Amino acid sequence: MRRELPFLLPFLRRHLAAYVTGSVCVVASIFLKLRIPVFLKDAFDALDRGGPTAREGLFAAVGWIVATSLAVALVRTWSRLLILGTSRRVAHDLRTELFEHLTRLAPSFFVRNPAGQIMSRFLNDMQNVQGLVGPVILYLTEVLTLYAIAVPMMATIEPTLTLLALAPFPFFLYASRRMAVRIQEGSRAAQNCLGEISARVDESLEGQAVLKTLVLEEAACGRFDAHCERYRALNLAVTRKRALLIGLMAGLASLSTLIVVVGAAGRVVPADQPGFTLGSMFSLLFYLGMLTSPTRTLGFVISSLKRGSAALGRLREIVDSEVSLPDPPSGPPWPRVGAGALELRGLTVRHDPLSEQPHLSGSRPQTCGDDARADGGRVVLDGVSVSVPAGSTLGIVGHTGSGKTTLLRAVAGLQEVERGQVFIDGIDVCDLRPADLRAAVGYVSQDAFLFSLSLAENLAYGRPEATPQELAAAAAASRLEADLAQFPDGLESIVGERGVNLSGGQRQRAALARALVVDAPILILDDTLSAVDSHTAEEILVGLAPYCEGRTTLLVAHRLATLRHAERIVVLDEGRVAESGTHEELLAAGGLYAALWERQSRRETEGGQR
Amino acid sequence: MGRGDPRKRAPRRGADLRLLRRLWPFVRPQGGLLLASLALLLGTSAAALATTWVLKLAIERHFETDTGAGLGVLLAWFCVLALLEVVGRALGTWTVDVAGQNALLRLRSTLFRHLQALSSAFHDRTPTGRLVGRVTTDIEALQEMFSSGVVTILADLIFLCATVVLLFSLQWKLTLAVLVVVPLLVGLTLWMRVRVRAAYAKMIDSRSRLNAFLHEHIVGMAVVQMFTRERRARTGFDGISGDMRDAQLRSVWWESALSASTEKLSHLTIALILAYGGALLLDAPAATGLTLGALFAFIDYMRKFFVPLNDLSLKVTVLQSAMTAAERIFDLLDRDDFLPEPASPIVPPRTRGAIAFDGVTFGYDPAEPVLRGVSFQVACGERVAIVGATGGGKTTLLKLLTRLYDVQEGSITLDGVDVRELPLSELRSRIGIVPQDVFLFGGDVLHNVRLGHPEISEAEARAAADRLHLDEVVKRFPLGYAEPVRERGANLSSGERQLIAFARVLAVAPAVLALDEATSQVDSQSEHLLQTALHELTSGRTSLIIAHRLSTVRDVDRILVIERGRLIEEGTHEELLREGGAYARLHELQFDENG
């Protein structure tokens, strides 16, 4: 907590006035509330005393009780509004700060840290921090004030009896604290188990055709039942502790009552004499009643405090993650990209071993495919030099994992590179603002990610001011327009769960159209049309030719025929440029490219065609 | 409450009874436990009422007027009763929950089995998320009903009635006065609680919008940055987060007001008892039978009265949502979209593996047939490839063969027996299927090879895998065959997933293989590995392969060409090329793709 506080402090300070006023209200409400037993004593004493003044005394006391309780309700509402309300404001501030930081982090951060992990920071951890800066502060102030005021008040009535009656409290506090920890741990375990159950159901439904055809229904049911059994056991463990806690607290109330009654036996003096009257006893009992239930919650408050500060630490990790693609310190102003001539001078990119990469604690590094499974540091690109004059096309060929995508990302400003390796129009990309660099690039990645906005908004994602005509032109160039008729609202259809579901090919074509709308000097297509059937893919590429005119184009493709017309083709192998040249030069050289071309052509001749 | 659909409200009462009757078979085995918990809770309530009564007696006899002896006995009674209350409350809470957990364990399991049994046609129509919600969220809602539901509500009601009777016997005028004023105050809190719930529902709504936005932007952050939309994304997030904050503030407002008013309510009741009861006491203590002890008891009873009364409104809402959940659950259990099992099943002694499609017509929507009168035969041990453009109905052929769906016209036979005459499990265990989208389950690689067949030993599974050279792939994994497979095989390449699926079939060694080749691109190494494995897998086995690769097509005995739901060509690779028909055209296109 001590380490986390400095991080939280600026957020709290912004709402300092609310917290101070709120705390004052808490103290005031407790103080007022504790007057009520005093009036109660007066009332009982008046009744006990009897006589002509009794009625007057009684009604005065009752009047005070009514007035005080109304005042308490008012002040109490106000205190809660201030403190709990402010905690929501603090959480909002924290959320937006965190999100802002996320938008600055390089894509590599999101590769290292699974989305689920980051989401959990925003949801679960934020919930706990919100609990820390709201309810925890409120209850702690409340309970501490309650004890601080009630105990002396009780002591003035009868010190020894107060001491005796409060003697069991520390024990119960300890017990409730332990129980609270166990209950919360148990609930979390049960919650995780429920998540597991939900995953099992989801899996069995998604794979139900497989389960059926492989006759695995029984096995799946067995596995599911085992999970349910475990869930039941976890739940019952929590209930057992909860039942015990409820019982214990009922016991505490009875025990302290018993102590007061036993202690008071034979010592009560008539109400008209000074000393321990029947009214005194009633007010002592009343005070004790006020103290028992906060004692129960105190256990939960303390564990919330611990969880809150742990959560705070995890949130700080995100804010502390280094922005690895910062704006260069040389500006402003920063240089701008012009025609888009590209030069790579010995580009080398090394992926650190996963274990040594900084990632959020508790998040296992992702292991996706062969790329990431490499043990130890892996050189992804090793001294790649190539120059692409403005307006020309570079084809890139290579096996999976040969570094094609990394190369493209380095050019697009999505990958950290060292100084002196990538130049655009003669400017080192390290001197360019990443945002300026990206704005100069139309990039279509392998996974065509679309947002759940309308198709039109998705197409205009890189240039919101694009006109409907421009969008239509881009949709035409990417052969998306023919599909639009399938969607209920054409370009206005919402993409995703709440709207239309696009096929893989449709997504890729939409992503292509989105990049075309940007109208940037550099166009990068990373195996963009893999899910589009070959006929349409060919049409699209032909249709793109005039668009690529005058633009620097980087093209990755599996089908070599697609690259035939590129001014230059490089073959990447294990991160190095194995070969480079025009289609004809490469064929003549008789190397990797020629072999690949040979293999693809042999299928043709063996197939008996041409 | 606030957001309930008013149209659904009217026939509700009858529906609730019907639902309770449906629930009964699951509850009945827990009857003993439930009765025990009811008894415990009632005993606890009685003890709670009695402790206050003992205190009242002690005050009257030993504090107001000192009659001396007997206090010890009373206090001993107090101890016993208090102890009973403690134990009773703990045990009662516990037994109710055990009963609920047991009942719902059965219900959940039944529901899951039912889902497994429902036909593919049903699953095609129904979104997965909704069904997952039935098994998790809805069952949880029912669970709540058990722990804070019927039994506790019943116990609470009995307790409240008993308290009222006791109070009337204590002093009927004062009780009457209290019972007139209290409902007004309780009504106010109830109304506030409704507001709290409404505000809370809004909050949940805004929270799920925030989650959706956040998830999308974390996953697509590279796209956001690529198109330099960071600022707009931030503005969007600020807006949504602000909406959520405002919704939270509204619910905080009502919660604060509610919590203060609950406290105020109990204080005002005390004031009322003191004022009116005190006046009665001062007027004529003898006639009213009131004492200071009685007043104290009154206050104490009212305090105990408020606890269940406050909970009651909460419990009623829990009950309502539980009933809605139960309705949804039983609606699902009432679905009977099963494929009928044969009335008199025929089990041929041994599968040799001859397949015949005879005039098969089928459509997922009967109005739009996907297959029209398809007939062909596959002899024992013959390897047949099916080719054709996407959407022509190739995959549907396999789904009909394994009877995920029933044909609408014609018939499919396996070794001369109509597939509808075979028991489902018998049919499916005789056909090894490799779907296009290989589906792997959580667990390790070996688990996925053995998948649900405990009779396949680990050695057998490994042997099958080795024959397909899966070991060459697996040895690259840090943990080998024990390498964990993430949900749906997300950590494996598509080539690796396919090999595992091949091994899965080979381990079971069925006589018939039905394979839907994956279209996704694999690199040439994996391609080579897959083709070798496929050759091994199909040798000596009746095989029906939906083929996308040239090498696969060349390897088979016969090729069927399906287009727009009809079988249009049939023959060997060379024959079909010579004919120069649809296959030849398709082949040309394939060449383009690869060349």
Side-chain angles (χ1 to χ4, degrees):
Chain A
M1 188 68 205
R2 219 161 285 130
R3 277 185 307 126
E4 320 305 352
L5 208 55
F7 165 60
L8 190 59
L9 225 47
F11 292 95
L12 295 183
R13 201 171 291 143
R14 237 179 275 173
H15 302 283
L16 194 62
Y19 276 120
V20 171
T21 327
S23 304
V24 170
C25 285
V26 169
V27 174
S29 80
I30 298 286
F31 179 78
L32 285 173
K33 185 171 130 176
L34 287 172
R35 302 301 300 169
I36 291 177
V38 177
F39 300 132
L40 198 76
K41 175 180 181 302
D42 288 348
F44 272 108
D45 281 347
L47 285 172
D48 199 8
R49 205 164 50 233
T53 55
R55 191 173 293 265
E56 208 173 298
L58 173 70
F59 286 134
V62 168
W64 276 114
I65 291 179
V66 172
T68 315
S69 76
L70 290 178
V72 167
L74 213 66
V75 181
R76 190 177 149 96
T77 309
W78 194 236
S79 72
R80 273 159 194 268
L81 269 182
L82 280 170
I83 294 183
L84 297 181
T86 306
S87 74
R88 270 64 172 184
R89 289 176 216 272
V90 170
H92 167 74
D93 293 351
L94 263 170
R95 266 200 303 271
T96 50
E97 170 102 7
L98 235 60
F99 186 78
E100 180 172 351
H101 193 77
L102 276 189
T103 61
R104 293 180 201 286
L105 291 171
S108 56
F109 175 87
F110 298 94
V111 174
R112 287 196 304 272
N113 300 290
Q117 272 293 330
I118 305 175
M119 283 295 284
S120 148
R121 305 277 147 129
F122 269 91
L123 306 179
N124 307 334
D125 290 333
M126 190 61 77
Q127 188 73 33
N128 286 333
V129 169
Q130 186 180 298
L132 180 70
V133 298
V136 169
I137 293 183
L138 179 73
Y139 289 125
L140 275 184
T141 331
E142 227 170 48
V143 173
L144 292 180
T145 318
L146 191 65
Y147 274 99
I149 302 180
V151 174
M153 282 178 101
M154 290 165 75
T156 55
I157 298 172
E158 167 51 81
T160 0
L161 207 49
T162 303
L163 201 66
L164 282 173
L166 287 179
F169 273 67
F171 166 72
F172 279 90
L173 190 60
Y174 172 75
S176 84
R177 159 102 191 81
R178 297 241 347 225
M179 223 77 89
V181 171
R182 295 234 193 109
I183 288 172
Q184 275 168 342
E185 277 171 1
S187 310
R188 211 164 328 132
Q191 212 52 45
N192 289 341
C193 190
L194 184 64
E196 191 84 359
I197 287 178
S198 153
R200 279 285 89 71
V201 179
D202 187 55
E203 188 184 68
S204 81
L205 293 174
E206 293 287 343
Q208 62 91 23
V210 180
L211 288 175
K212 280 190 161 70
T213 47
L214 297 176
V215 204
L216 293 173
E217 290 106 324
E218 225 11 78
C221 288
R223 235 152 90 91
F224 178 77
D225 284 354
H227 276 290
C228 292
E229 288 279 358
R230 205 165 74 81
Y231 181 57
R232 170 181 173 274
L234 286 171
N235 266 330
L236 287 184
V238 173
T239 316
R240 203 155 41 222
K241 273 156 209 130
R242 191 165 284 153
L244 211 58
L245 183 61
I246 290 173
L248 263 179
M249 287 305 141
L252 174 62
S254 301
L255 184 60
S256 51
T257 308
L258 185 69
I259 292 173
V260 170
V261 174
V262 171
R267 295 181 41 191
V268 171
V269 298
D272 41 12
Q273 292 169 24
F276 191 77
T277 61
L278 194 54
S280 310
M281 186 179 91
F282 287 152
S283 70
L284 262 191
L285 286 176
F286 209 76
Y287 278 126
L288 283 171
M290 283 178 168
L291 286 180
T292 38
S293 85
T295 306
R296 176 172 54 191
T297 31
L298 202 56
F300 287 94
V301 173
I302 293 171
S303 41
S304 299
L305 181 74
K306 288 203 161 162
R307 272 188 312 153
S309 53
L312 202 55
R314 282 193 293 271
L315 290 189
R316 211 186 57 172
E317 269 184 11
I318 288 191
V319 178
D320 286 351
S321 332
E322 199 186 336
V323 176
S324 55
L325 285 171
D327 289 347
S330 57
W334 290 281
R336 293 273 178 169
V337 175
L342 170 68
E343 195 181 355
L344 306 182
R345 293 184 199 154
L347 173 60
T348 300
V349 175
R350 184 188 304 274
H351 281 178
D352 293 331
L354 283 173
S355 50
E356 285 173 26
Q357 278 179 8
H359 52 78
L360 301 178
S361 60
S363 80
R364 272 188 319 174
Q366 273 190 319
T367 50
C368 269
D370 303 304
D371 235 15
R373 198 177 291 122
D375 301 314
R378 206 182 67 138
V379 178
V380 185
L381 288 174
D382 188 2
V384 172
S385 295
V386 67
S387 119
V388 189
S392 72
T393 298
L394 174 74
I396 304 172
V397 180
H399 286 304
T400 314
S402 57
K404 295 172 303 220
T405 298
T406 310
L407 190 154
L408 299 185
R409 291 170 80 94
V411 175
L414 293 171
Q415 166 73 46
E416 299 86 342
V417 292
E418 276 172 40
R419 180 166 282 283
Q421 298 189 336
V422 181
F423 295 84
I424 291 177
D425 293 332
I427 310 162
D428 192 320
V429 291
C430 293
D431 292 327
L432 283 167
R433 223 152 56 104
D436 291 336
L437 172 56
R438 290 168 191 157
V441 175
Y443 181 83
V444 190
S445 62
Q446 278 168 312
D447 60 328
F449 183 88
L450 300 179
F451 290 91
S452 45
L453 304 166
S454 73
L455 256 177
E457 285 170 298
N458 266 300
L459 294 198
Y461 198 73
R463 206 155 60 83
E465 70 277 10
T467 63
Q469 288 78 19
E470 287 172 305
L471 298 187
S478 60
R479 294 289 181 277
L480 188 65
E481 59 181 357
D483 299 56
L484 290 179
Q486 292 176 19
F487 308 141
D489 307 314
L491 266 180
E492 294 309 313
S493 309
I494 306 284
V495 176
E497 278 180 31
R498 288 181 299 124
V500 294
N501 277 313
L502 304 190
S503 72
Q506 287 168 335
R507 280 182 177 275
Q508 287 190 335
R509 281 176 286 153
L512 175 62
R514 177 173 66 187
L516 296 183
V517 170
V518 173
D519 196 21
I522 303 175
L523 180 66
I524 297 181
L525 306 181
D526 186 359
D527 200 12
T528 302
L529 300 172
S530 60
V532 178
D533 70 85
S534 50
H535 185 66
T536 315
E538 197 58 43
E539 267 182 29
I540 294 174
L541 287 172
V542 171
L544 277 185
Y547 180 90
C548 295
E549 202 71 42
R551 273 171 229 274
T552 312
T553 308
L554 304 189
L555 198 59
V556 164
H558 273 106
R559 277 179 281 159
L560 299 189
T562 323
L563 304 175
R564 248 182 322 211
H565 306 295
E567 272 91 349
R568 191 182 176 82
I569 299 169
V570 295
V571 182
L572 286 183
D573 188 34
E574 309 253 312
R576 290 168 200 271
V577 177
E579 294 164 24
S580 132
T582 63
H583 175 67
E584 285 73 24
E585 286 167 7
L586 288 174
L587 276 191
L592 260 173
Y593 182 87
L596 215 62
W597 178 262
E598 166 78 8
R599 201 177 327 151
Q600 292 193 354
S601 316
R602 198 176 57 229
R603 288 187 190 165
E604 151 197 2
T605 39
E606 271 185 14
Q609 290 292 298
R610 285 175 224 176
Chain B
M1 278 185 142
R3 60 208 167 109
D5 186 352
R7 280 164 304 162
K8 271 192 163 175
R9 198 68 61 79
R12 196 47 191 281
R13 204 136 296 281
D16 280 358
L17 269 178
R18 191 179 54 80
L19 286 173
L20 285 177
R21 250 205 310 279
R22 297 286 309 265
L23 268 174
W24 183 239
F26 297 95
V27 176
R28 202 174 47 185
Q30 313 303 325
L33 272 177
L34 286 176
L35 272 182
S37 64
L38 184 62
L40 278 166
L41 288 175
L42 286 180
T44 309
S45 304
L49 290 177
T51 37
T52 303
W53 194 264
V54 170
L55 269 185
K56 168 184 173 286
L57 288 181
I59 291 165
E60 281 173 357
R61 292 190 195 155
H62 304 285
F63 292 88
E64 288 181 62
T65 53
D66 205 1
T67 46
L71 181 61
V73 179
L74 278 176
L75 289 180
W77 267 113
F78 180 88
C79 286
V80 171
L81 288 168
L83 210 62
L84 274 179
E85 193 190 337
V86 169
V87 174
R89 198 169 293 284
L91 272 182
T93 318
W94 161 245
T95 43
V96 157
D97 225 50
V98 174
Q101 293 284 351
N102 288 347
L104 292 176
L105 184 68
R106 274 194 54 206
L107 183 59
R108 208 193 291 268
S109 178
T110 308
L111 192 60
F112 186 79
R113 267 157 224 276
H114 185 75
L115 280 180
Q116 294 302 313
L118 282 169
S119 70
S120 298
F122 171 83
H123 286 291
D124 291 344
R125 286 195 305 269
T126 320
T128 309
R130 199 175 299 165
L131 296 179
V132 173
R134 295 292 165 277
V135 186
T136 52
T137 325
D138 285 341
I139 298 259
E140 286 310 293
L142 270 181
Q143 169 62 45
E144 286 251 352
M145 181 192 78
F146 269 96
S147 53
S148 66
V150 186
V151 174
T152 22
I153 288 183
L154 198 62
D156 281 351
L157 284 178
I158 295 177
F159 174 76
L160 290 176
C161 292
T163 312
V164 169
V165 170
L166 208 64
L167 287 178
F168 266 111
S169 76
L170 212 56
Q171 219 303 314
W172 66 271
K173 275 189 194 163
L174 184 53
T175 309
L176 217 53
V178 169
L179 287 185
V180 166
V181 177
V182 166
L184 287 177
L185 300 171
V186 171
L188 184 73
T189 28
L190 278 185
W191 177 75
M192 284 180 145
R193 208 170 283 254
V194 173
R195 310 298 313 184
V196 168
R197 269 176 53 85
Y200 199 69
K202 274 221 182 72
M203 203 272 281
I204 299 276
D205 188 53
S206 67
R207 189 172 63 191
S208 58
R209 281 199 304 129
L210 180 97
N211 289 356
F213 183 94
L214 195 57
H215 187 258
E216 184 167 273
H217 279 77
I218 289 172
V219 174
M221 190 58 84
V223 179
V224 173
Q225 293 177 343
M226 191 56 238
F227 292 97
T228 54
R229 284 275 299 236
E230 291 96 327
R231 187 161 308 161
R232 272 166 178 267
R234 271 175 232 152
T235 317
F237 185 78
D238 281 7
I240 291 182
S241 173
D243 284 350
M244 172 165 156
R245 178 199 55 201
D246 295 342
Q248 281 182 327
L249 286 179
R250 225 179 343 266
S251 86
V252 163
W253 202 97
W254 285 109
E255 276 168 15
S256 308
L258 176 67
S259 108
S261 100
T262 313
E263 203 180 63
K264 181 177 69 190
L265 178 60
S266 75
H267 287 153
L268 289 182
T269 313
I270 290 173
L272 177 71
I273 294 169
L274 279 177
Y276 187 56
L280 285 175
L281 179 71
L282 286 176
D283 283 347
T288 53
L290 271 178
T291 58
L292 284 184
L295 274 189
F296 171 81
F298 233 102
I299 292 175
D300 208 37
Y301 279 134
M302 281 317 290
R303 184 174 62 78
K304 289 180 177 170
F305 189 78
F306 275 122
V307 179
L309 198 62
N310 264 321
D311 291 355
L312 213 54
S313 66
L314 245 158
K315 284 173 184 165
V316 168
T317 41
V318 165
L319 210 60
Q320 278 176 340
S321 53
M323 281 300 139
T324 323
E327 209 169 333
R328 285 199 290 250
I329 289 170
F330 286 116
D331 274 353
L332 182 56
L333 280 177
D334 286 342
R335 302 304 297 261
D336 52 359
D337 308 23
F338 305 116
L339 286 183
E341 283 275 359
S344 47
I346 302 172
V347 185
R350 194 177 64 92
T351 315
R352 291 167 298 126
I355 303 166
F357 276 61
D358 184 21
V360 168
T361 295
F362 172 80
Y364 296 96
D365 174 2
E368 284 176 46
V370 179
L371 294 173
R372 303 156 201 259
V374 175
S375 303
F376 63 88
Q377 270 127 41
V378 183
C380 260
E382 194 185 12
R383 279 187 278 194
V384 171
I386 304 169
V387 298
T390 322
K394 290 170 296 173
T395 306
T396 310
L397 283 177
L398 296 195
K399 288 185 175 168
L400 292 176
L401 175 62
T402 50
R403 223 185 146 214
L404 286 176
Y405 303 87
D406 271 340
V407 296
Q408 277 140 12
E409 278 172 42
S411 68
I412 301 171
T413 57
L414 178 64
D415 291 328
V417 179
D418 192 309
V419 291
R420 283 167 293 187
E421 303 285 312
L422 277 154
L424 262 181
S425 61
E426 192 64 38
L427 168 72
R428 287 172 183 164
S429 60
R430 288 175 187 214
I431 302 171
I433 191 153
V434 180
Q436 185 173 44
D437 238 346
V438 171
F439 195 95
L440 298 186
F441 294 84
D444 59 21
V445 173
L446 199 65
H447 167 81
N448 270 291
V449 173
R450 293 167 72 182
L451 212 60
H453 287 279
E455 74 276 10
I456 300 172
S457 73
E458 194 176 323
E460 280 171 328
R462 271 173 190 261
D466 290 354
R467 270 169 66 198
L468 301 179
H469 305 288
L470 181 60
D471 52 340
E472 283 174 32
V473 175
V474 161
K475 70 172 183 245
R476 298 211 306 266
F477 301 165
L479 293 176
Y481 279 106
E483 180 77 3
V485 173
R486 286 232 302 260
E487 304 280 311
R488 266 154 247 178
N491 54 338
L492 301 176
S493 76
S494 65
E496 290 163 351
R497 285 204 294 268
Q498 294 222 14
L499 272 181
I500 292 177
F502 285 3
R504 191 188 271 175
V505 171
L506 195 64
V508 185
V512 179
L513 171 75
L515 185 144
D516 198 348
E517 242 179 14
T519 44
S520 62
Q521 299 253 357
V522 290
D523 58 77
S524 40
Q525 271 169 304
S526 314
E527 174 78 41
H528 177 70
L529 216 57
L530 279 175
Q531 288 306 329
T532 322
L534 186 62
H535 190 82
E536 173 75 33
L537 190 61
T538 52
S539 58
R541 191 165 277 140
T542 311
S543 310
L544 206 53
I545 305 166
I546 297 177
H548 301 290
R549 299 181 204 300
L550 290 170
S551 40
T552 310
V553 180
R554 271 199 301 273
D555 224 27
V556 299
D557 302 319
R558 199 148 49 98
I559 297 167
L560 309 175
V561 184
I562 301 271
E563 216 168 88
R564 298 212 184 102
R566 289 181 203 282
L567 178 62
I568 53 168
E569 286 173 28
E570 189 174 346
T572 64
H573 177 67
E574 286 73 23
E575 284 168 12
L576 290 176
L577 278 185
R578 261 200 307 279
E579 273 175 32
Y583 179 74
R585 276 199 307 279
L586 262 173
H587 192 259
E588 193 169 346
L589 216 68
Q590 285 246 326
F591 151 72
D592 273 350
E593 198 162 333
N594 289 282

